[in-house]
Structure formats: structure tokens, C-alpha cells
Amino acid sequence: MSKTDEIDDTSAPLIEHLAELRTRLIRAVIAFIVGIVLAFVVAEPILQFLLAPIEATLRELGDPSPTLQYTSPQEYLFTLFRISMVFGFALAFPVIGYQLWRFVAPGLYRSEKGAFLPFMIASPFMFLLGASFAQFVVTPLAMQFFLGFADVSSIFANLLSGAAGDVPADVAVVPETSDGVRITFFGKVNESLDITLKFIMAFGLCFQLPVLLTLMGKAGLVSAEGLGSVRKYAVVAILILAALVTPPDVVTQLILFTVVYGLYEISIFLVARVEKKREAQLRADGYYDDEQEFDDPLMAEFDEEESK
């Protein structure tokens, strides 16, 4: 069977392809809007979940009532909208990915379909894995580093500690201080959320490294030998990346370096497996024949001349 026969039958002219693209885009946009609406309904619990590392850090540092603020009337609403867009896209991604697949699949060979589809499944899984790592490991370490420089006792705690015993409980007394200005953390909701989302996006993208390199290896753009030969440059690049996307904390940077370098080594292993499978397929198709190669008299004569 020729390769032409393997392609799905489609003779649609350009205008029909554009109409198909429009239909797929409309469905993807509708799915995105529905995802935004669904995410907005639970935006506040999502916000509490994302800010949980900050809350835990503040409580560990002695703040009995962690509080974040917003300084403009629309800031909190826009923060919820931002969460809705990010998580709405995550909810709609299966539909968006399916529409993308349905648009490009007719132009792929059957072998290419079998190769491309697993990556569409692995990519969101690896992003979710990286985002979870950022939320539960990296962000708590970063918050401990950042908030460890300031006195994070809340106003509520200061008032209770300085109130006199004979003052009624409903009367607030501001304690006097004589040891300089007290530095207290009054975090803004949008700025605190921004740090968390940056970590989630950074680690989610870093965890795409095995998917990207394996796909490039399947396309023949990179090889396991080539990736291994530039390993020392990859180490430097990963160190620079760790310094850019993490706080100036050696522990956090080492964690990111270890994880990303481990993903790089896993990528080399996966690319090597892809190469072995491709070579085995080529041998099965008759493109490689080791016995003929070694028994070729012309090659044997050439080797003898080279050895003289």
C-alpha cells in the first residue's frame, strides 16, 4: 500500500478547510467560555487552595490570623476572573485538544496519528504533575524564604499581646514600641496569587521537557547521542533557569535543578527507546541489512585499501 493510500480520503478545497477550522475554533471558544463560567463558580475555594502555602507559612511564623488585602475596589473581582480564565482553560483543554486533533488528523498518516496522539495525552498529565510539584513543594519553600525576613505578626496578635488586663475585650489598645519601626506583612491578594501562578506555570512548562524532546526525537530532529553530548551545556542552562524562576534560596534552586536535570536524563532515555524502535521498524521494512553490509565485497576491498 502506498503512502498516498494511507492518508485519510479528503479532497476538500481550501474554503472547506477554512470552514472546518472556523467550526473547530468556535467549538473551542465555547468550551473555553463554559470552563471560565464553571471555574468562576468555585473561584474562591480555588483561591484559598492556591494561597494555602502562604497561610501555612504565616501560621508557622506566629500569625494566628493570616490576612491578605486588596487596595482597589475591583482588585478582588479581577483576581477571581484571572483564576477563572486559568482554570477555565484547564477544564476546557480536553475539548480544545480534541478539536485540534480532529482538524489535523485527516492530514496525517496512520503511523503519524499513532505517534502524535500519546503526546497529546502525556502533555497535560506532565503539566499537572509539574503544577502539583510547584504547589505542594516549591511554593511553601519559597514562602518560608520570603516571609522569613519580616515580622509577620498580625495587628490582631499585636493588640492582644499589648492590651492591659483591665481593659474590656471590645476595646482595642495599640501597644507602644521603642525599638524602631516594626515591619509587618500585609500581603495583597493579586500579588500573592501572582507568585503562586508563576511557579505553577514555570514548573508545568519545565515538566514538558520529556514530552517535547521525545516528540522531537520521534521526528528525527534530536538524537540520544546528541543530547548526551551537550549534557554539560544543559547543566549550565538548567542552573540558569533555576536561578531565574526560583527565589534566591539554595534549597529551592537545588530542588528545581535536580528535578529538571532528572527530566533531561529521562528524555535521553526515551529518545533512545524511540530510536531503537524506529531502527527496528526500518530493519523490518528492509532498509537495513547488516549481513549484506558486512559481506559486501566492494566494502571489504575498500576497507583493505584503507588499512594499507
Side-chain angles (χ1 to χ4, degrees):
M1 181 180 293
S2 64
K3 291 186 177 180
T4 305
D5 296 333
E6 295 181 2
I7 302 180
D8 288 348
D9 295 332
T10 174
S11 58
L14 177 61
I15 189 66
E16 294 188 14
H17 285 298
L18 293 177
E20 175 73 10
L21 176 61
R22 181 189 61 184
T23 301
R24 300 299 177 187
L25 288 176
I26 290 175
R27 292 177 181 176
V29 171
I30 291 176
F32 183 41
I33 294 175
V34 172
I36 290 176
V37 174
L38 294 176
F40 186 77
V41 175
V42 292
E44 290 192 17
I46 293 175
L47 178 61
Q48 293 291 334
F49 171 75
L50 293 177
L51 297 179
I54 298 179
E55 176 191 358
T57 302
L58 290 174
R59 292 188 183 279
E60 290 177 2
L61 294 175
D63 189 346
S65 179
T67 303
L68 296 179
Q69 62 179 338
Y70 60 94
T71 56
S72 60
Q74 75 281 3
E75 180 179 328
Y76 185 66
L77 180 61
F78 285 175
T79 300
L80 297 181
F81 278 145
R82 185 179 180 186
I83 293 175
S84 302
M85 293 186 66
V86 173
F87 283 84
F89 179 80
L91 290 175
F93 182 81
V95 178
I96 296 174
Y98 176 76
Q99 297 301 321
L100 174 63
W101 169 254
R102 292 294 299 168
F103 180 73
V104 302
L108 299 176
Y109 298 113
R110 288 190 178 92
S111 60
E112 292 174 338
K113 290 180 182 180
F116 186 68
L117 184 59
F119 292 98
M120 293 194 64
I121 300 175
S123 181
F125 172 77
M126 293 301 295
F127 185 89
L128 179 61
L129 187 62
S132 301
F133 182 79
Q135 174 69 14
F136 296 109
V137 178
V138 178
T139 303
L141 291 175
M143 291 303 105
Q144 291 176 5
F145 176 82
F146 287 133
L147 297 177
F149 287 98
D151 176 15
V152 296
S153 300
S154 64
I155 294 179
F156 177 74
N158 288 336
L159 291 176
L160 287 182
S161 63
D166 56 350
V167 177
D170 58 346
V171 178
V173 178
V174 179
E176 295 182 1
T177 60
S178 59
D179 54 352
V181 178
R182 302 200 64 176
I183 307 299
T184 305
F185 173 73
F186 294 102
K188 293 186 62 178
V189 175
N190 62 338
E191 294 178 353
S192 301
L193 178 65
D194 184 67
I195 295 176
T196 302
L197 289 180
K198 283 182 178 179
F199 280 136
I200 289 176
M201 294 301 297
F203 279 84
L205 293 177
C206 286
F207 272 63
Q208 298 296 312
L209 185 62
V211 179
L212 176 62
L213 291 181
T214 305
L215 184 60
M216 293 176 65
K218 209 167 187 62
L221 300 177
V222 297
S223 64
E225 183 180 358
L227 293 175
S229 63
V230 298
R231 184 179 281 107
K232 57 183 178 181
Y233 302 106
V235 169
V236 176
I238 295 172
L239 287 173
I240 296 175
L241 175 67
L244 292 177
V245 302
T246 60
D249 177 17
V250 177
V251 176
T252 308
Q253 292 176 355
L254 286 177
I255 291 176
L256 177 60
F257 171 79
T258 303
V259 171
V260 178
Y261 181 73
L263 293 173
Y264 185 80
E265 292 293 337
I266 293 174
S267 302
I268 295 178
F269 172 75
L270 294 176
V271 171
R273 289 193 59 184
V274 168
E275 290 176 344
K276 289 182 179 179
K277 289 183 178 180
R278 183 170 62 243
E279 182 178 348
Q281 183 63 38
L282 292 175
R283 292 182 186 279
D285 294 340
Y287 290 99
Y288 285 119
D289 194 345
D290 294 338
E291 294 182 359
Q292 292 183 4
E293 180 180 352
F294 289 114
D295 296 338
D296 190 348
L298 294 178
M299 289 300 299
E301 183 180 352
F302 177 78
D303 292 338
E304 291 178 0
E305 293 180 356
E306 288 291 325
S307 61
K308 293 180 181 180

